Amino acid sequence: MDKRNLTDDLISRIRKFVPGISLDCVVFGYRDGVLKVLLLKYYNVEAWGLPGGFLQSDMEMHQAVNEVLYKRTGLRDVFLTQYHTFSSLNRGWDVNKRSKSAINQVQSIWPEKHKAELEAWFYQRFISTAFLALIQADKASLSNDHISECCEWKPISDLPPLVLDHRLMIEMALEYLKVQINYMPVGKFLLADKFTMSDVQILYETILQKKLDRGNFQRKMLKLGIFKRHEKLMTGASNKAPFLYSINDGAYKKLLEEGIGFI
Amino acid sequence: MDKRNLTDDLISRIRKFVPGISLDCVVFGYRDGVLKVLLLKYYNVEAWGLPGGFLQSDMEMHQAVNEVLYKRTGLRDVFLTQYHTFSSLNRGWDVNKRSKSAINQVQSIWPEKHKAELEAWFYQRFISTAFLALIQADKASLSNDHISECCEWKPISDLPPLVLDHRLMIEMALEYLKVQINYMPVGKFLLADKFTMSDVQILYETILQKKLDRGNFQRKMLKLGIFKRHEKLMTGASNKAPFLYSINDGAYKKLLEEGIGFI
């Protein structure tokens, strides 16, 4: 699709969107002890942003966010939850130089005949409901959208420059995850299908940003009764090879219903 | 103010509101082992609703909600947090008979000349950001608004018929509170300034809807180091009179920064 068609398409979609409402998604992935977040780079500027979009007036929010996620990662049915709505008066595209540069690049592809309508759309006050997704990074195949030049995983400990209030969105998603980690086995969504208890512990330590006692952690985890034990992980030799585990979905569901904390 | 003036006032305010955005507030209060929520009764119908309002286009959401709370309770600076945004396509005034009756009563006071504008306003798709407030029930002096005939505390275990999705809003606020109780001393906001450890335990049991072991609970609570011990509560005789406590704000703030769970 050329730029002209893209803009025509955008115009026809904008007319179906709920005015003033946007959606953003903090997608967490994890590999080798590093927690990462999915970001898109705007064309020709050093400015990145979260995957997101708008809300069609006949669509539910979670449907719209699922579509965004599917387009960026090729995945459906991932763990997805709403965590906060951002509505500050200071969250517009004119909030700082970086956001201005990013939107200027977007504007540069707008044809003259739709300029006024597109400007009115992008410069209205947006109230953005933010979602948090957990995905197995290895399973995603990433695609950028038409206003970005790439879509990449970035470690949360070393984020590139972000537009709007997207850094705050990521920080608050991480805070939310730290609380929720007590209520859901985040390993189920972030780790591979089979993992060692040590993998789980490193993941928890990465999210909570603190060391946990190995014996205590493993005892508490196993006591939950939600893990299925499989073969040992053989990486060469040693009779100390750790067992591999997976989540027993039935037991996990039962535990959630009982509402027991995880750590 | 007569009804005519009220409507003129509403019209001039509607023109300053962000279209499609509403705010609702689940105000929890607590007394004698009963957790209660603040509700308004619509005129002439058995239908109740949460305190709420709309968002002025030059106002921050938390300001707008603080105003709603102040008008209904006379209190400022209470504990207030956003917990969820409700956006379902099925949350309009036509969702059920009760909501229809309630809005019909509201409509009956609209003058002919503004009817079309008011109808267009109230029947648009609203996306409502919901807040949770915790207040010391004894300190509130309640006032109804111009579309309701009274404002009262109702026990969460015995709610009257509610409009729209307000029952769901209360249920989700309670779920949120159950999780947050591990991260904040809700007693600080819901109990009187001085309380016994037994008061705290009954409050936690009421929110969590389960019995807690007395010895364990008090040991864990006191270990947090956030309580100041005062005189004993003398209710007649006995050397077994319990101590009164209050929250040590400095120690509480420090604990929050360290991010330690409460139970």
Side-chain angles (χ1 to χ4, degrees):
Chain A
M1 209 188 274
D2 68 20
K3 283 178 180 180
R4 168 83 185 260
N5 286 345
L6 270 173
T7 316
D8 285 348
D9 182 52
L10 182 60
I11 281 287
S12 74
R13 285 190 293 131
I14 276 177
R15 291 174 185 164
K16 290 182 205 150
F17 290 145
V18 180
I21 298 295
S22 59
L23 303 169
D24 284 291
C25 195
V26 177
V27 187
F28 285 118
Y30 173 80
R31 196 187 301 173
D32 303 331
V34 182
L35 190 63
K36 297 177 180 186
V37 64
L38 201 61
L39 294 176
L40 295 154
K41 185 180 175 298
Y42 284 83
Y43 274 121
N44 301 325
V45 281
E46 188 52 22
W48 297 70
L50 293 166
F54 304 111
L55 177 65
Q56 225 173 274
S57 48
D58 60 353
M59 210 183 236
E60 298 289 2
M61 260 191 197
H62 60 88
Q63 270 183 286
V65 181
N66 268 307
E67 279 310 304
V68 169
L69 265 174
Y70 177 66
K71 283 185 191 154
R72 300 288 77 78
T73 66
L75 299 176
R76 290 200 188 274
D77 301 322
V78 303
F79 176 86
L80 183 67
T81 187
Q82 191 204 108
Y83 71 95
H84 196 76
T85 292
F86 293 82
S87 61
S88 164
L89 288 163
N90 304 317
R91 61 179 308 280
W93 287 104
D94 52 355
V95 67
N96 60 30
K97 215 176 136 187
R98 182 180 314 126
S99 299
K100 279 182 205 158
S101 307
I103 197 74
N104 282 344
Q105 289 295 324
V106 174
Q107 285 180 309
S108 67
I109 64 166
W110 291 346
E112 207 52 49
K113 68 167 178 168
H114 292 312
K115 217 166 186 124
E117 187 171 353
L118 286 162
E119 271 184 18
W121 177 263
F122 281 94
Y123 286 103
Q124 66 183 310
R125 179 181 184 182
F126 273 107
I127 289 173
S128 188
T129 298
F131 289 75
L132 176 160
L134 302 179
I135 71 175
Q136 294 178 338
D138 291 341
K139 293 194 177 165
S141 48
L142 307 183
S143 322
N144 52 309
D145 60 17
H146 66 279
I147 60 166
S148 58
E149 57 187 39
C150 63
C151 179
E152 284 178 16
W153 290 111
K154 295 287 178 186
I156 54 150
S157 55
D158 186 22
L159 293 172
L162 291 156
V163 296
L164 300 171
D165 51 358
H166 289 193
R167 179 174 288 270
L168 176 65
M169 286 181 171
I170 295 170
E171 285 166 1
M172 286 188 64
L174 192 59
E175 284 306 310
Y176 183 89
L177 191 58
K178 281 184 192 172
V179 171
Q180 288 300 316
I181 204 172
N182 288 305
Y183 297 89
M184 63 190 192
V186 293
K188 178 178 162 61
F189 309 107
L190 290 169
L191 295 171
D193 296 331
K194 288 185 184 176
F195 43 78
T196 66
M197 272 299 133
S198 163
D199 291 335
V200 181
Q201 184 175 346
I202 294 170
L203 171 63
Y204 273 64
E205 289 178 342
T206 305
I207 292 171
L208 294 171
Q209 289 168 302
K210 66 178 178 189
K211 283 276 163 206
L212 300 168
D213 177 75
R214 185 169 175 278
N216 261 339
F217 181 81
Q218 300 212 355
R219 193 164 47 247
K220 277 191 189 174
M221 277 289 147
L222 292 173
K223 222 176 89 183
L224 295 174
I226 59 166
F227 296 102
K228 225 184 301 188
R229 199 168 84 173
H230 300 277
E231 70 284 6
K232 284 190 171 187
L233 173 68
M234 292 305 183
T235 47
S238 141
N239 51 5
K240 287 207 169 179
F243 281 105
L244 285 167
Y245 292 89
S246 66
I247 302 269
N248 178 334
D249 285 323
Y252 165 52
K253 215 181 135 204
K254 195 159 161 280
L255 189 72
L256 274 193
E257 282 160 10
E258 289 167 5
I260 294 168
F262 278 87
I263 59 171
Chain B
M1 209 187 276
D2 68 19
K3 282 179 181 178
R4 169 82 184 260
N5 286 347
L6 270 174
T7 315
D8 285 347
D9 181 51
L10 182 60
I11 280 288
S12 73
R13 285 190 295 131
I14 276 177
R15 290 173 186 166
K16 289 182 205 150
F17 290 145
V18 180
I21 298 294
S22 60
L23 304 169
D24 284 291
C25 196
V26 177
V27 186
F28 285 119
Y30 173 81
R31 196 187 301 172
D32 302 331
V34 181
L35 190 64
K36 297 178 181 186
V37 63
L38 202 61
L39 294 175
L40 295 153
K41 185 180 175 298
Y42 284 82
Y43 273 121
N44 302 326
V45 281
E46 188 50 23
W48 297 69
L50 293 166
F54 304 111
L55 177 64
Q56 225 173 274
S57 48
D58 59 353
M59 210 182 237
E60 298 288 2
M61 259 190 197
H62 60 89
Q63 270 182 286
V65 181
N66 268 308
E67 279 310 303
V68 169
L69 266 175
Y70 177 67
K71 282 186 192 154
R72 299 289 77 77
T73 66
L75 299 177
R76 289 200 189 273
D77 302 321
V78 303
F79 176 86
L80 183 67
T81 187
Q82 191 205 108
Y83 71 95
H84 196 75
T85 292
F86 293 82
S87 61
S88 164
L89 289 162
N90 304 317
R91 61 179 309 280
W93 286 104
D94 52 356
V95 67
N96 60 31
K97 215 176 137 187
R98 181 179 316 126
S99 299
K100 278 182 207 159
S101 307
I103 197 73
N104 282 343
Q105 289 296 323
V106 174
Q107 285 180 308
S108 67
I109 64 166
W110 292 345
E112 208 53 48
K113 68 167 177 168
H114 292 310
K115 220 171 184 118
E117 187 172 354
L118 286 162
E119 271 182 18
W121 177 263
F122 281 94
Y123 285 102
Q124 65 182 310
R125 179 181 182 181
F126 274 106
I127 289 173
S128 187
T129 297
F131 289 74
L132 176 160
L134 302 179
I135 72 175
Q136 294 177 338
D138 291 342
K139 293 195 176 164
S141 50
L142 308 183
S143 322
N144 52 308
D145 60 16
H146 66 280
I147 60 166
S148 59
E149 58 185 40
C150 63
C151 179
E152 284 178 15
W153 291 110
K154 294 288 178 185
I156 55 150
S157 57
D158 186 22
L159 293 172
L162 291 155
V163 296
L164 299 171
D165 50 359
H166 288 193
R167 177 174 290 269
L168 177 64
M169 285 181 171
I170 295 171
E171 285 166 1
M172 285 188 65
L174 193 59
E175 284 306 309
Y176 182 89
L177 191 58
K178 281 183 192 174
V179 172
Q180 289 301 317
I181 203 174
N182 288 304
Y183 297 88
M184 62 189 194
V186 294
K188 178 178 163 61
F189 309 107
L190 289 169
L191 294 171
D193 296 331
K194 288 185 183 177
F195 43 78
T196 67
M197 274 298 132
S198 161
D199 291 334
V200 181
Q201 184 175 347
I202 294 169
L203 172 63
Y204 273 63
E205 290 178 340
T206 306
I207 291 172
L208 294 170
Q209 290 168 301
K210 65 178 179 191
K211 282 275 165 208
L212 300 168
D213 176 76
R214 186 170 173 278
N216 260 339
F217 181 81
Q218 300 212 357
R219 193 165 46 248
K220 278 190 188 176
M221 277 289 146
L222 292 172
K223 222 176 89 182
L224 295 173
I226 57 167
F227 296 102
K228 226 185 301 187
R229 200 168 82 174
H230 300 276
E231 70 282 6
K232 284 190 172 188
L233 174 69
M234 292 304 185
T235 47
S238 142
N239 50 6
K240 288 207 169 176
F243 281 105
L244 285 167
Y245 293 88
S246 67
I247 302 269
N248 177 335
D249 285 323
Y252 165 50
K253 215 180 135 205
K254 193 158 164 282
L255 188 72
L256 275 194
E257 281 160 12
E258 288 166 6
I260 294 167
F262 279 87
I263 59 169

